[in-house]
Amino acid sequence: MKIGLFGFGCVGQGLWKVLHETKGVKADIVRICIKHPDKQRPLAPDYFTTNPSDILDDPEINIIVELIDDADAAYDIVSSALKKGKAVVSANKKMIAHRLPELYALQNETGAPFLYEGSSCASIPIIRNLEEYYDNDLLTSVEGIFNGTTNVILTKIFEDNISFSEALKYAQKHGFAESDPSLDVDGFDAKFKLCILLLHAFGVFVAPEEVLNIGIGRLNDFDIQYAKSRGQVIKLIARCYREGGRIVGYCIPRFVPVGHHYATVRNEYNAVTLESAFSEHQTFLGKGAGDKATGSAVLSDISALRYQYKYEYRKFIQNGTSFDTSEAFLRIYVRHQYEGQVKDADFISIEERYAAADTRYWIGHISLQKLQKTSWLNDHGVSVVELAAS
Ligand code: HSE
C-alpha cells in the first residue's frame, strides 16, 4: 500500500508514528502534501509537496489519507481522489458530517472505498461496530461523551478547580482541541460526530444544522456548585435514539451523578453507550482525541483496505425511519440572570424556580423543538443543562 498523505499536523504526525511502530501493516507514506512549506518538519524535505496533483495524479499511490483542517479543501481532495478510483481515509468530522450525502453518492458512483473511523471518538471503533455488529434494527440508542477537549475542561474544573481558560489551554497544548476551539466548546464537534453516527446507527442522513447543540462555554461557578452540592458532575453528552419510526438527536450538557459511569470518563477519554433491544447497555471507553489515538483509528482503516473493506450503509438502504424531533421532550435546568429573560410559555411545566439577586434558575420540561427556537437560548447569562427524567 502506497499512501499519499494530506496534512502533517497533530493527527498526520500521529499516523506517521503509529504506522512506524506497527510491524504488521505493510504500508508506506510516500508523499505528504502540506500548506506551509517553510515550517520546520521532522522528515526529509523530499517527502513534502504543496501541489495536490503530485499525490492525486501519481499512479503508484493507491491510498489517499486526508488529515487537513480546512473542511472545504478536504472535500475537494476526497472527492477528486474517489473520482480517480483511489481508496480514501479521512478523520475530518466537520467535512464528513456536512457532506455525507455527496460522499455516499460518490462511493456508489466510483466504487472506491471511503473510510473514516478516526472521525468519531478517535480510538473507539464505533463506526465499524455499528456497521458490522449492530447491522440490524435492534439498536435503540447511541449516546455518550464524544469530545475530548470539553471533557478535559469539565474534568479539570470539577476535580482540580482549574479555571475554564487554563483547562482549555491544556487541551490545546496536548493537541486535543480543534484549531478553532469554539467548535469543541460550543458542542459543534460532538454534533458532527453525532451526525456521522446517526447514519451508521439508524440509516438517516441528518444535516448538522438540524441538530441542536448546546456547549459548555456559558456554564459558570453557580452551575458547577449546583452540580457539586447535589453529588453530580456535568458532562457534554451527544445523544440519538429511536422512538417508533422517529429518530431524535441532540447534544447538550447533562448533570451526571458521581456514581454514574460517565462521571469516571476523565480528560480526553470518550465513552459511547449503545442500547439495543436484547443486549441492553454496552459502553465503549477510549481516548477520544490526540495524535496517536486518532492515528491508530486511521491506521485501522488503512489496514482494513487490505481486505477491500467498505461501509455498506445497510441501514440506510433498508430504512423506514426519519429524523423527527417533533415528539421529543427534555427535562432541563436553565440558569438565567433576570426576571422575564426566560419565558414561562416556552415550557410544558416548571417544577422548580429559584431566584436570588443576580442568579435564577428554573427546572422544567420543554419540547426539544421549542428549546431549539427560543429567543433566550443564546442570551448572555443563560446556561442549559439536561437533567435525568424525574
Ligand atoms: N477536538 C476533538 C476533541 C478532537 O477534542 O474531541 C478529536 O476529534
Side-chain angles (χ1 to χ4, degrees):
M1 292 187 283
K2 300 262 182 251
I3 298 170
L5 175 62
F6 284 83
F8 202 56
C10 172
V11 181
Q13 294 185 40
L15 173 65
W16 179 274
K17 288 180 211 156
V18 297
L19 187 58
H20 286 87
E21 287 170 28
T22 310
K23 303 270 177 295
V25 181
K26 301 276 171 269
D28 293 308
I29 296 174
V30 294
R31 212 77 205 274
I32 305 171
C33 187
I34 42 142
K35 204 157 96 184
H36 303 291
D38 303 330
K39 251 194 209 167
Q40 196 76 1
R41 314 260 175 200
L43 301 179
D46 47 349
Y47 270 109
F48 297 100
T49 174
T50 52
N51 182 1
S53 77
D54 285 348
I55 289 178
L56 293 171
D57 296 322
D58 182 341
E60 291 274 284
I61 292 176
N62 50 4
I63 299 177
I64 302 297
V65 177
E66 178 284 304
L67 300 174
I68 67 170
D69 206 36
D70 176 332
D72 292 328
Y75 179 73
D76 291 344
I77 293 161
V78 169
S79 54
S80 311
L82 290 172
K83 284 179 195 157
K84 288 174 196 291
K86 294 189 194 281
V88 183
V89 176
S90 168
N92 196 321
K93 51 268 157 122
K94 183 177 178 189
M95 181 276 284
I96 298 167
H98 282 99
R99 306 288 199 140
L100 269 171
E102 293 106 304
L103 291 164
Y104 173 75
L106 271 169
Q107 289 169 79
N108 279 344
E109 275 161 36
T110 62
F114 175 49
L115 303 181
Y116 42 86
E117 188 63 71
S119 68
S120 300
C121 306
S123 71
I124 300 177
I126 187 61
I127 298 179
R128 247 183 283 165
N129 238 293
L130 294 172
E131 279 283 299
E132 304 305 317
Y133 187 87
Y134 289 98
D135 67 340
N136 49 52
D137 57 1
L138 298 175
L139 200 64
T140 49
S141 142
V142 179
E143 66 157 45
I145 297 166
F146 291 2
N147 181 267
T149 299
T150 45
N151 207 45
V152 165
I153 295 171
L154 292 169
T155 305
K156 301 224 170 287
I157 288 176
F158 273 91
E159 294 184 12
D160 306 329
N161 286 319
I162 287 178
S163 72
F164 191 102
S165 61
E166 283 303 310
L168 174 58
K169 272 188 211 143
Y170 173 92
Q172 288 175 305
K173 188 174 141 209
H174 287 79
F176 304 143
E178 299 301 299
S179 49
D180 170 4
S182 70
L183 292 175
D184 297 297
V185 169
D186 296 335
F188 287 96
D189 180 79
K191 172 168 86 168
F192 297 150
K193 293 164 182 164
L194 182 70
C195 289
I196 296 169
L197 297 190
L198 271 159
L199 177 58
H200 294 279
F202 297 120
V204 287
F205 285 98
V206 185
E209 294 69 34
E210 288 183 68
V211 181
L212 174 64
N213 58 297
I214 301 178
I216 64 164
R218 273 187 279 114
L219 297 177
N220 72 2
D221 285 347
F222 185 90
D223 305 324
I224 308 301
Q225 288 316 320
Y226 177 94
K228 281 187 172 173
S229 65
R230 287 161 179 79
Q232 316 253 333
V233 294
I234 300 174
K235 294 289 184 186
L236 181 64
I237 305 291
R239 175 178 189 221
C240 59
Y241 60 93
R242 178 208 305 272
E243 211 164 48
R246 285 189 296 270
I247 308 296
V248 178
Y250 57 87
C251 173
I252 301 183
R254 186 191 292 176
F255 289 119
V256 174
V258 287
H260 190 280
H261 62 274
Y262 287 157
T264 65
V265 180
R266 302 176 63 251
N267 293 321
E268 76 273 28
Y269 275 75
N270 281 187
V272 184
T273 298
L274 307 177
E275 193 180 323
S276 82
F278 304 115
S279 57
E280 299 187 3
H281 290 96
Q282 187 172 37
T283 297
F284 296 80
L285 178 67
K287 283 193 177 179
D291 57 353
K292 287 190 177 176
T294 314
S296 75
V298 174
L299 180 67
S300 177
D301 280 347
I302 293 169
S303 172
L305 290 171
R306 285 185 299 185
Y307 50 90
Q308 281 76 48
Y309 181 74
K310 285 181 181 184
Y311 301 140
E312 291 189 35
Y313 302 95
R314 276 185 286 257
K315 290 172 209 163
F316 170 63
I317 291 158
Q318 298 157 1
N319 210 349
T321 53
S322 60
F323 189 73
D324 175 356
T325 58
S326 59
E327 301 289 319
F329 300 93
L330 303 174
R331 182 167 173 249
I332 56 169
Y333 154 105
V334 190
R335 198 234 330 131
H336 49 287
Q337 271 177 319
Y338 55 86
E339 195 178 344
Q341 188 174 24
V342 171
K343 310 277 178 279
D344 266 66
D346 290 334
F347 286 78
I348 295 156
S349 61
I350 296 175
E351 64 192 71
E352 189 180 338
R353 293 172 201 258
Y354 166 90
D358 56 353
T359 299
R360 302 159 170 264
Y361 71 79
W362 292 357
I363 291 176
H365 285 85
I366 191 165
S367 93
L368 177 56
Q369 287 195 345
K370 178 65 91 178
L371 179 62
Q372 210 159 353
K373 289 186 200 130
T374 53
S375 52
W376 42 264
L377 181 60
N378 295 313
D379 269 12
H380 179 74
V382 172
S383 67
V384 173
V385 184
E386 189 181 8
L387 290 136
S390 54

